[in-house]
Amino acid sequence: MGDKKILFPYIQGERIYVREVSLTDINEDYYKWMNDPEVTRYTESRFFPSDMDSLTENVHQKLQDRNSVFLAIVRSDTEQHIGNIKLGPIDWTHRLADVGVLIGDKNCWGKGYATEAIGLVVKFAFQELKLHKLTAGFYAANKGSEKAFLKNGFVVEGTRTRHRLCEGSYMDTVILGLLNEDRTGTGC
């Protein structure tokens, strides 16, 4: 599967749907998210202020990546693009992938949209892509991410002590994992 682009269908949730990000999603709102220190506080993108051209190039590269799925999180009631979720890079040999999520619209924080998006991506990863395990990580102070991943069954596998620089001091990074319990492996 790693030799061709994954075709990601529209997946409807209860209050949101996820779909592949398109270049038309790169608009003024997207630009504001990616340059808002509060939105990007716990992301690596905060170190790289973005203009519209660099945002467009970044999304274009993600869309061409055969080992990742880059999705828009869209509210069903308003059709508003409120954030993104990424599955990848995907390790096809070991059937592993990382999950990362960003709710860019601050009016949508704390309302469970990230939790729902993670659930949709977990289902897709395990049922459609037949992955064995998903991983995620978050800055220890990011309680929103912690809550969203734990609600989806992820478990804490470890902590990297004072691992990432955040606002002038080093902060722990928490590492999470989720196994696809329904998939039986063949072992080594």
Side-chain angles (χ1 to χ4, degrees):
M1 187 167 262
D3 60 341
K4 63 181 180 175
K5 178 75 178 125
I6 301 164
L7 296 178
F8 191 87
Y10 163 101
I11 297 180
Q12 180 69 50
E14 185 178 318
R15 299 175 305 139
I16 61 162
Y17 61 89
V18 294
R19 59 161 172 76
E20 190 167 63
V21 172
S22 73
L23 293 177
T24 59
D25 290 318
I26 312 308
N27 57 29
E28 193 63 30
D29 288 335
Y30 194 89
Y31 172 82
K32 287 177 187 174
W33 301 347
M34 299 312 294
N35 286 287
D36 183 330
E38 194 175 8
V39 172
T40 61
R41 180 179 185 195
Y42 300 120
T43 70
E44 298 310 295
S45 64
R46 74 183 184 276
F47 297 113
F48 308 100
S50 301
D51 59 25
M52 292 297 274
D53 289 339
S54 63
L55 288 172
T56 301
E57 180 59 29
N58 182 271
V59 169
H60 180 73
Q61 287 176 357
K62 286 178 180 171
L63 293 174
Q64 299 305 310
D65 185 350
R66 296 177 186 167
N67 295 308
S68 291
V69 180
F70 188 49
L71 307 168
I73 302 168
V74 181
R75 284 182 48 173
S76 299
D77 60 346
T78 63
E79 295 296 319
Q80 179 187 9
H81 176 205
I82 61 168
N84 298 324
I85 188 164
K86 181 179 170 221
L87 179 66
I90 300 170
D91 178 332
W92 295 106
T93 302
H94 299 290
R95 314 228 34 99
L96 309 169
D98 196 49
V99 178
V101 64
L102 173 104
I103 301 297
D105 183 335
K106 292 190 276 191
N107 294 319
C108 295
W109 285 5
K111 297 184 177 171
Y113 294 119
T115 301
E116 188 174 346
I118 292 166
L120 294 173
V121 166
V122 165
K123 185 176 179 180
F124 175 74
F126 288 160
Q127 291 181 1
E128 301 298 322
L129 299 182
K130 308 295 186 207
L131 297 182
H132 166 68
K133 183 178 182 179
L134 299 176
T135 58
F138 63 89
Y139 287 63
N142 189 347
K143 298 303 178 188
S145 282
E146 177 180 33
K147 189 175 180 182
F149 281 105
L150 293 178
K151 279 187 171 184
N152 277 290
F154 282 76
V155 296
V156 175
E157 294 186 336
T159 300
R160 291 182 168 176
T161 305
R162 294 189 318 250
H163 191 69
R164 299 275 187 202
L165 185 61
C166 186
E167 299 170 342
S169 62
Y170 285 92
M171 185 178 293
D172 293 353
T173 299
V174 180
I175 308 301
L176 303 166
L178 179 64
L179 293 170
N180 183 353
E181 296 296 342
D182 297 329
R183 183 170 161 76
T184 57
T186 57
C188 293

